[in-house]
């Protein structure tokens, strides 16, 4: 049996080596190479001393944070009520369905909706407000990014809430907690694992959203993802691009660490 | 009656869609007593607890707590706490916070919560476990946390839904003593659910035997054990020999081809009845000395006693619990006392039964009662 297990594990190990370990090693290697190909620490030095890069990193953080908060604010109540509806699996499917569509298609659809002659501006014209510049603004970036990320928050949060045993709620009511107290002291703390997974699934990809920044935000929002793409494809500064890639990986670990499962539970206030 | 009534069911019915789960249930629970609901799986025991705790409402009839109709009282406004079948402890809180939960919901001050929780944990012998995670507790310890979590609120009534069913035999017996002891020390009314008759007999002041959504008999463990109302109760509460008989007149019954003196009466002459004799009330003798004779078919060693199965000449099967040994193939005699013969009328209602017992049996029963039949099972 152990022998068969070993064979079954081969594709997994191959995958990890070829698509995770090797690329990260290459990134590390590249980030220590200057434009002339020599070993250097200049990339790291530039990154941490340049105002441009640091501002961009902060901005990237800020937008990822906003997107995460927005998706959470939308997904949590949605998941909460979804978990109580009769045909919850069906409605969940309906809400998850858009993720099956290619992200480029959705982005182009939004360009259509938000453009000068688009659906939203037609409406604004109709009620007399007049057409606004919607596309190529940070706001439109937030809206579209949130729309795209919501399912990734909704799913883990829904699962966590749905998994809470009905007897927990009964016990809480039995011990004198009202509906709101039951939510605050039992349901919310017990759903935190889902919220954590949701944050991991939304925050990190949001740091590196690069297509949306160009197509929807018109480069008015620059994320780490955009900057990496620029360095690799436009300025051909692979060393700098790799350094930022490494920074992104480190941030990822940071977020995982911050949202890890705590041993001690949250105590009732 | 001067006793305070904590909970009262009046003609309560509960329907789920088409199925009627409870059929006109009426009873009162008096303050400070230990009640047990006993019945097989699916007979509606948990449903009764749900109605009292407020997790379900009756389809018809009224459930009152301290004399007030509870129709519009949500669970959190009832001074009743539950020890759930699966404990339902909060996994995100440690032992202390689990027990403190109810008090925190009441916004009691911190000092007071601390002293009360500490005191209650001591009561269930869990001092020093305050900071443990629930996942780190054993089954028996979890159960005691669940009891502490309910007790700390000083409820008028504590509902316990088969709280011992997950424990092994030894721990279970130990917890039975502890629970009974706790109840008597604190004077809180307990409504305990079980499908284990020994547990019910050992712990209760009063047992309510249920069958398919009805309460078929209510009484003290001794009464229910010694005077079962019908075949169902006799079978459910302990092992018994039930044979067909005929009432010759008051205090005389005929079965197995002979007429015996008994302590029951109030039936029609020549009425067909069920006769119950408990296996431990039958005494093994020489064949000629016996009231009836049986032919021993099998014998099992049960530790405390031998379980002997045999058949009499009329074809009735008999089970005997005896500390003396016999052997298959032998013909032996059985003797028994008049008060060991319990007569059950077929299809008698509980009211009619109680009335008849009151009239005929009590005097005789009190004269000859050995007492404690429940505990020495
Ligand atoms: N919410 C519900 N909807 C429909 N039927 C239910 C519901 N709750 C209970 N029932 C039915 O009511 C009957 C009695 O259930 P109940 O839980 O009271 O049984 P019980 O005596 O506690 O059994 P057990 O010893 O197995 O716990 C069962 O037939 C059950 O299927
Ligand atoms: Mg039950």
């Amino acid at each position: 049996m152990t022998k068969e297990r070993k064979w079954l594990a081969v594709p997994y190990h191959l995958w990890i080596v070829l698509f995770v370990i090797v690329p990260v090693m290459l990134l590390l290697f590249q980030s220590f190479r200057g434009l002339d190909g020599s070993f250097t620490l200049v990339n790291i030095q530039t990154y941490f001393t340049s105002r441009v890069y640091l501002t961009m990193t902060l901005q990237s953080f800020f937008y990822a944070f906003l997107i995460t908060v927005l998706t959470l604010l939308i997904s949590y109540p949605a998941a909460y009520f979804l978990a109580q509806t009769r045909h919850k699996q069906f409605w969940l499917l309906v809400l998850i369905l858009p993720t099956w569509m290619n992200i480029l298609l959705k982005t182009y659809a939004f360009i259509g909706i938000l453009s000068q002659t688009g659906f939203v501006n037609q409406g604004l014209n109709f009620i007399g407000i007049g057409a606004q510049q919607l596309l190529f603004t940070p706001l439109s970036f937030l809206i579209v990014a949130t729309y795209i990320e919501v399912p990734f928050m909704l799913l883990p949060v829904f699962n966590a809430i749905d998994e809470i045993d009905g007897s927990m709620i009964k016990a809480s009511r039995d011990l004198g907690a009202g509906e709101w107290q039951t939510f605050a002291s039992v349901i919310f703390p017990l759903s935190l694992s889902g919220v954590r997974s949701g944050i991991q699934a939304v925050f990190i990809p949001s740091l590196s959203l690069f297509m949306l920044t160009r197509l929807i935000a018109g480069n008015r929002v620059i994320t780490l993802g955009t900057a990496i793409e620029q360095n690799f494809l436009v300025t051909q500064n692979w060393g700098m691009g790799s350094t930022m890639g490494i920074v992104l990986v480190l941030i990822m670990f940071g977020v995982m660490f911050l949202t890890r499962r705590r041993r001690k539970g949250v105590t009732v206030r | 009656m001067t006793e305070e009534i904590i909970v009262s069911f009046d003609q309560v019915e509960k329907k789920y869609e088409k199925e009627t789960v409870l059929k006109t249930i009426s009873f009162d629970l008096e303050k400070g007593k230990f009640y047990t609901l006993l019945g097989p799986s699916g007979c509606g025991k948990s449903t009764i607890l749900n109605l009292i705790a407020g997790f379900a409402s009756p389809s018809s009839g009224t459930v009152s707590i301290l004399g007030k109709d509870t129709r519009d009282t949500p669970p959190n406004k009832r001074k009743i706490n539950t020890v759930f079948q699966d404990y339902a402890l909060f996994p995100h809180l440690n032992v202390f916070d689990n027990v403190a939960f109810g008090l925190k919901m009441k916004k009691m001050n911190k000092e007071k919560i601390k002293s009360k929780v500490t005191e209650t944990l001591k009561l269930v012998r869990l001092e020093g476990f305050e900071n443990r995670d629930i996942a780190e507790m054993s089954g028996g310890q979890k159960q005691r946390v669940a009891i502490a979590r309910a007790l700390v609120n000083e409820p008028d009534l504590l509902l316990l839904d088969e709280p011992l069913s997950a424990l092994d035999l030894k721990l279970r017996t130990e917890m039975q003593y502890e629970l009974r002891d706790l109840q008597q020390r604190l004077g809180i009314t307990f409504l305990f659910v079980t499908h284990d008759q020994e547990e019910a007999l050992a712990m209760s002041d009063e047992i309510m035997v249920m069958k398919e959504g009805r309460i078929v008999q209510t009484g003290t463990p001794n009464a229910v054990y010694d005077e079962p109302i019908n075949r169902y109760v006799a079978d459910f509460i302990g092992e018994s020999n039930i044979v067909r008989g005929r009432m010759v007149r008051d205090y005389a019954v005929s079965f197995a081809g002979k007429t015996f003196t008994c302590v029951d009466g109030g039936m029609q002459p020549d009425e067909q009845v069920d006769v119950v004799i408990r296996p431990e009330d039958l005494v093994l003798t020489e064949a000629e000395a016996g009231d009836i004779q049986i032919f021993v078919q099998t014998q099992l060693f049960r530790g405390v006693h031998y379980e002997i199965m045999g058949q009499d000449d009329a074809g009735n099967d008999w089970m005997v619990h005896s500390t003396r040994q016999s052997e298959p193939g032998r013909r032996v005699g059985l003797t028994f006392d008049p008060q060991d013969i319990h007569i059950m009328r077929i299809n008698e209602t509980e009211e009619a039964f109680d009335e008849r017992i009151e009239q005929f049996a009590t005097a005789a029963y009190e004269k000859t009662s050995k007492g404690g039949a429940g505990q020495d099972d």
Side-chain angles (χ1 to χ4, degrees):
Chain A
M1 191 180 103
T2 47
K3 212 173 170 189
E4 279 158 28
R5 278 244 179 111
K6 258 185 205 152
W7 281 110
L8 285 174
V10 165
Y12 167 76
H13 288 303
L14 260 175
W15 178 277
I16 292 286
V17 170
L18 286 180
F19 295 107
V20 179
I21 296 179
V22 171
V24 170
M25 297 311 282
L26 282 176
L27 269 186
L28 255 179
F29 177 67
Q30 284 288 349
S31 66
F32 289 113
R33 267 159 64 115
L35 280 170
D36 54 356
S38 61
F39 178 85
T40 174
L41 292 173
V42 99
N43 289 322
I44 294 162
Q45 196 192 351
T46 319
Y47 181 87
F48 284 103
T49 48
S50 146
R51 271 189 84 87
V52 180
Y53 284 127
L54 288 180
T55 326
M56 182 209 61
T57 308
L58 269 181
Q59 200 190 39
S60 200
F61 249 107
F62 176 68
Y63 277 103
F65 175 76
L66 273 186
I67 293 166
T68 310
V69 169
L70 282 175
T71 52
L72 186 59
L73 284 180
I74 293 169
S75 305
Y76 200 96
Y80 182 75
F81 288 108
L82 203 61
Q84 290 164 3
T85 46
R86 220 163 218 282
H87 305 288
K88 49 189 171 192
Q89 293 304 336
F90 170 77
W91 291 113
L92 187 67
L93 190 69
V94 169
L95 286 173
I96 296 299
L97 216 54
T99 55
W100 296 359
M101 221 191 309
N102 184 287
I103 186 170
L104 261 180
L105 285 180
K106 284 188 279 193
T107 308
Y108 279 111
F110 266 106
I111 294 178
I113 292 170
L114 297 174
S115 69
Q116 281 294 331
T117 54
F119 177 71
V120 176
N121 273 328
Q122 279 176 17
L124 289 178
N125 265 328
F126 185 75
I127 55 171
I129 293 175
Q132 305 285 323
Q133 178 63 42
L134 298 172
L135 216 51
F136 309 138
T137 61
L139 179 68
S140 63
F141 171 72
L142 275 181
I143 292 172
V144 178
T146 303
Y147 168 79
I148 285 169
E149 298 292 349
V150 155
F152 299 103
M153 181 66 87
L154 185 70
L155 202 59
V157 173
F158 169 83
N159 281 335
I161 294 178
D162 198 37
E163 264 172 29
I164 297 174
D165 196 338
S167 69
M168 292 293 117
I169 292 152
K170 268 175 111 177
S172 163
R173 301 301 305 272
D174 190 79
L175 291 164
E179 277 181 57
W180 172 248
Q181 284 177 309
T182 299
F183 176 79
S185 316
V186 177
I187 300 176
F188 186 71
L190 284 178
S191 65
L192 272 182
S193 65
V195 173
R196 284 195 201 101
S197 318
I199 290 176
Q200 289 171 4
V202 170
F203 187 81
I204 295 161
S206 298
L207 279 175
S208 52
L209 281 172
F210 69 90
M211 217 166 41
L212 285 185
T213 51
R214 180 160 308 143
L215 295 176
I216 300 287
N219 281 342
R220 249 157 262 252
V221 176
I222 308 238
T223 62
L224 273 173
T226 329
I228 293 172
E229 190 219 14
Q230 291 276 332
N231 272 306
F232 273 95
L233 300 183
V234 183
T235 56
Q236 300 270 328
N237 187 351
W238 283 32
M240 196 62 216
S242 300
T243 303
M244 293 165 75
I246 291 293
V247 168
L248 201 54
V249 170
L250 291 178
I251 291 173
M252 213 178 286
F253 280 122
V255 172
M256 298 284 260
F257 179 77
L258 286 176
T259 55
R260 78 196 182 282
R261 227 188 106 55
R262 306 288 207 284
R263 255 193 55 77
K264 265 256 124 0
V266 183
T267 46
V268 205
R269 272 164 298 273
Chain B
M1 245 190 357
T2 52
E3 284 296 334
E4 197 178 340
I5 307 276
I6 302 274
V7 166
S8 164
F9 270 48
D10 184 25
Q11 307 276 324
V12 172
E13 240 187 20
K14 180 68 189 168
K15 291 195 181 93
Y16 284 117
E17 266 115 68
K18 284 191 202 84
E19 199 187 357
T20 307
V21 179
L22 293 181
K23 298 157 193 159
T24 50
I25 299 255
S26 298
F27 63 79
D28 291 336
L29 302 184
E30 289 167 15
K31 191 180 165 68
K33 282 197 178 179
F34 194 121
Y35 291 91
T36 299
L37 275 174
L38 176 67
S41 191
C43 70
K45 305 182 296 290
S46 297
T47 307
I48 288 185
L49 295 197
N50 281 334
L51 288 172
I52 298 176
F55 298 119
S57 49
S59 308
S60 68
T62 50
V63 175
S64 347
I65 296 174
L66 294 169
K68 281 215 324 250
D69 188 350
T70 57
R71 195 168 299 275
D72 303 315
T73 319
N76 48 315
K77 295 274 191 288
R78 303 184 183 202
K79 275 205 71 177
I80 289 174
N81 290 108
T82 309
V83 178
F84 293 90
Q85 188 158 7
D86 56 357
Y87 311 143
L89 297 173
F90 302 121
H92 61 298
L93 303 178
N94 63 18
V95 170
F96 181 93
D97 286 331
N98 260 282
V99 177
F101 192 91
L103 303 179
K104 283 182 180 167
M105 292 303 123
K106 280 187 218 128
K107 309 248 184 322
M108 192 178 274
N109 77 48
K110 278 215 165 80
E111 307 289 290
K112 212 160 163 208
I113 291 181
K114 193 160 172 7
S115 78
K116 284 197 125 197
V117 171
T118 310
E119 187 190 323
T120 312
L121 280 176
K122 202 180 239 168
L123 203 67
V124 296
R125 296 206 262 118
L126 280 180
E127 60 256 77
F129 285 83
E130 285 84 353
N131 294 319
R132 286 268 198 115
D133 269 359
I134 293 304
E136 298 167 351
M137 304 288 279
S138 77
Q141 291 169 337
K142 277 186 197 159
Q143 200 235 344
R144 281 183 278 174
V145 176
I147 291 170
R149 186 178 70 171
L151 276 182
V152 78
N153 302 290
E154 296 168 4
D156 292 332
L157 172 64
L158 188 66
L159 306 173
L160 303 105
D161 196 349
E162 304 198 33
L164 308 182
S165 58
L167 308 182
D168 67 61
L169 190 65
K170 199 159 178 298
L171 190 56
R172 201 177 162 137
T173 321
E174 216 172 283
M175 287 307 301
Q176 288 173 2
Y177 279 109
E178 278 184 35
L179 271 183
R180 180 66 172 142
D181 184 52
L182 260 179
Q183 188 267 335
Q184 286 178 335
R185 265 192 291 152
L186 302 176
I188 295 178
T189 317
F190 274 37
L191 179 55
F192 185 91
V193 164
T194 181
H195 54 238
D196 180 335
Q197 49 95 11
E198 279 188 39
E199 199 163 279
L201 291 171
M203 298 171 79
S204 327
D205 289 317
E206 198 130 317
I207 300 178
M208 296 185 261
V209 186
M210 290 191 67
K211 180 193 184 187
E212 293 163 10
R214 287 180 210 282
I215 294 177
V216 282
Q217 187 171 11
T218 306
T220 63
N222 280 329
V224 174
Y225 189 85
D226 287 338
E227 294 291 348
I229 184 172
N230 56 27
R231 228 169 224 277
Y232 172 83
V233 176
D235 247 356
F236 204 82
I237 310 262
E239 294 185 281
S240 41
N241 296 292
I242 307 175
V243 297
R244 276 291 151 124
R246 186 171 54 83
M247 228 33 211
V248 179
R249 55 182 178 276
D250 284 352
Y251 308 120
V253 62
S254 135
F255 60 90
K258 281 189 190 166
T259 300
F260 301 92
T261 312
C262 65
V263 294
D264 284 282
M267 293 85 167
Q268 307 292 320
D270 284 336
E271 182 178 327
Q272 294 289 325
V273 291
D274 281 328
V275 178
V276 180
I277 304 179
R278 297 287 182 187
E280 68 272 19
D281 290 335
L282 293 168
V283 181
L284 223 53
T285 62
E286 294 303 314
E288 311 78 56
D291 294 325
I292 53 176
Q293 285 75 39
I294 65 165
F295 185 74
V296 178
Q297 290 166 322
T298 59
Q299 173 174 280
L300 273 181
F301 180 56
R302 286 277 190 188
V304 189
H305 58 252
Y306 291 93
E307 183 174 291
I308 299 161
M309 304 289 291
Q311 207 170 49
D312 66 17
D313 301 334
N316 299 308
D317 290 317
W318 294 93
M319 178 195 280
V320 186
H321 286 172
S322 168
T323 47
R324 282 178 46 205
Q325 205 172 343
S326 181
E327 68 192 43
R330 282 218 353 229
R331 197 174 156 77
V332 296
L334 301 177
T335 62
F336 41 85
D337 293 331
Q339 71 269 16
D340 295 332
I341 304 175
H342 311 296
I343 311 287
M344 305 180 304
R345 296 180 85 174
I346 292 157
N347 293 329
E348 191 172 29
T349 64
E350 198 181 355
E351 293 82 40
F353 172 82
D354 287 342
E355 207 169 295
R356 188 171 57 75
I357 293 289
E358 192 76 20
Q359 202 177 337
F360 285 88
T362 321
Y365 173 77
E366 275 169 3
K367 245 186 289 165
T368 53
S369 171
K370 296 170 296 171
Q375 270 77 7
D376 59 27
D377 187 22

